Amino acid sequence: MTPAPKYSATLRTLHWVMFLLVALAYATINLRQAFERGSDARLLMVESHFLLGMLVLLLVVPRLVARWRSPHPPMEPPLSAHLRIGAHLGHALLYAFLVVQPLLGMACRLVGGRGIGLPFTSAAIPWPAAWVDKELAGSLEAAHEWLGTAFYWVIGLHVAAALWHALVRRDNALRRMV
C-alpha cells in the first residue's frame, strides 16, 4: 500500500483551524489595549480571547488523536536524524503550548475569583471564595503572558521551518499539510 502524499483531511483541517484560533487569540488580547479599561470594547476583546483559548483547548485532544491515528506521509527527501529530532522537539513545543496556555489562562481566572464560564454569558463554574489568591493569580497571569510572548518565537520558528522546507530544501513538508 502506498502512503498518502498528504496528512488526513481531518488533521489538515484541525491544523489550519487551530492556526486561525491562535492568531485570533493573539489579535484579541493585543487589541484590548486599544480600548479603555472597563469599556465594553475591551471586555469584548478579553472575552473573545478567553473563548478562543477554550476552543483551542477543546480541539487539541481531537488533533492529538488524529495525529496519532493518521498515517504520516513520508518526507521526500527524508530528513537527517538531527533534523528529524529538531522537528519532533518543535512539534512537542507547539502542542505543549496548545495545552498549557489555555489551562494557565483558566487557572488565572479561577484563582483570581472570576470562575470559568462560557464567555459572553453569566454561566460560570463557581470557585470557592476560600481558594481565591489574588497574588497567585497575578503570578499565573504573568506566566501566561510570558509564555504567550515566548511562543511568538516558537510559532515564528515553525513558520520559518515551513518556509525553509518549501523554498530552500524544496521538499514536500509544506505540501503534506495544505
Side-chain angles (χ1 to χ4, degrees):
M1 187 165 122
T2 305
K6 294 184 176 208
Y7 285 100
S8 71
T10 301
L11 196 54
R12 284 182 284 139
T13 300
L14 286 168
H15 174 275
W16 293 108
V17 166
M18 291 183 81
F19 160 78
L20 182 61
L21 293 174
V22 169
L24 289 171
Y26 273 111
T28 54
I29 206 60
N30 287 318
L31 281 172
R32 86 184 189 293
Q33 297 170 349
F35 304 104
E36 280 186 48
R37 284 191 179 272
S39 70
D40 288 342
R42 188 177 179 111
L43 179 62
L44 174 66
M45 293 297 110
V46 172
E47 288 297 297
S48 296
H49 175 76
F50 189 69
L51 176 62
L52 292 160
M54 289 175 70
L55 290 172
V56 166
L57 188 59
L58 183 69
L59 291 176
V60 76
V61 172
R63 182 170 175 190
L64 285 168
V65 169
R67 184 170 171 86
W68 178 67
R69 295 185 75 192
S70 298
H72 292 252
M75 179 76 74
E76 296 296 337
L79 291 175
S80 65
H82 73 279
L83 287 177
R84 204 169 40 255
I85 290 168
H88 289 306
L89 288 174
H91 284 109
L93 278 173
L94 286 165
Y95 282 106
F97 169 78
L98 296 173
V99 172
V100 171
Q101 274 298 83
L103 289 176
L104 201 49
M106 288 181 194
C108 293
R109 287 181 78 129
L110 282 175
V111 176
R114 292 177 281 178
I116 293 177
L118 186 59
F120 307 111
T121 72
S122 59
I125 299 170
W127 187 253
W131 290 2
V132 172
D133 184 336
K134 298 287 185 181
E135 187 175 323
L136 177 57
S139 296
L140 291 172
E141 189 168 347
H144 182 70
E145 289 176 18
W146 184 87
L147 282 175
T149 300
F151 220 70
Y152 277 120
W153 292 97
V154 176
I155 293 167
L157 182 61
H158 184 66
V159 171
L163 292 172
W164 177 79
H165 279 283
L167 302 173
V168 176
R169 193 164 190 268
R170 297 181 187 255
D171 60 25
N172 68 337
L174 189 56
R175 288 189 304 268
R176 297 179 313 159
M177 191 53 81
V178 295

